Amino acid sequence: MRQQMVLGDFIFGLSRGFAYSSLIRTSDGGWSDLAIIASKSQSRQSGQKLEKLTFSGMAMYAIGMQRLDELRALQNARAPLPLVDGIGRNWGLWRINSVTETQSNVIDDGTAMLMAWTMELEEFVNA
């Protein structure tokens, strides 16, 4: 079975009806500026911040609503999760900071025909 990414036991991919369409990876160089009154700020190395990943996509029908509930259940477990991509690279442990959804085209039983979703992960380091 082809997959884009696996977070814990949650599978992202077309085969599960829940694929992401974009991934933003944010890395910080660890630099900060120290303000000086009579001159330019000085650059200081203050240590690298944790990496962040932002996934976003579209889901359809009740299956999309169910997958978002599964993501929220993982988030509510409040535990770091392993992240592995579709080619087998282990990205380490990550925590789910937020899951956001926007439901549209909601029918009379409350089922959303279309959901735009975003999930933000942050690297988990406990050294």
Side-chain angles (χ1 to χ4, degrees):
M1 169 173 42
R2 302 195 87 184
Q3 60 202 27
Q4 292 173 307
M5 195 80 75
V6 178
L7 177 64
D9 60 357
F10 187 88
I11 299 170
F12 293 91
L14 292 174
S15 64
R16 292 273 294 159
F18 201 81
Y20 60 87
S21 57
S22 72
L23 168 64
I24 300 170
R25 185 176 183 180
T26 306
S27 300
D28 177 78
W31 293 99
S32 60
D33 296 323
L34 177 62
I36 306 296
I37 293 174
S39 69
K40 289 185 176 182
S41 297
Q42 290 183 347
S43 296
R44 298 281 189 220
Q45 182 54 245
S46 56
Q48 189 173 15
K49 294 178 185 162
L50 299 174
E51 281 195 37
K52 294 181 182 178
L53 296 175
T54 304
F55 294 86
S56 61
M58 301 291 276
M60 299 178 70
Y61 313 118
I63 192 74
M65 295 174 77
Q66 179 184 349
R67 298 288 182 258
L68 285 162
D69 287 343
E70 291 171 17
L71 276 178
R72 285 203 167 84
L74 285 176
Q75 180 184 27
N76 289 338
R78 293 173 176 78
L81 301 164
L83 184 66
V84 179
D85 64 22
I87 60 173
R89 286 186 304 174
N90 184 347
W91 290 46
L93 294 175
W94 295 78
R95 65 183 196 214
I96 301 174
N97 282 350
S98 68
V99 176
T100 306
E101 71 182 90
T102 303
Q103 297 184 3
S104 59
N105 301 330
V106 180
I107 60 174
D108 60 352
D109 70 354
T111 302
M113 295 290 99
L114 189 61
M115 284 136 307
W117 60 271
T118 302
M119 178 182 66
E120 294 180 5
L121 301 180
E122 191 165 348
E123 184 179 19
F124 180 84
V125 177
N126 197 13

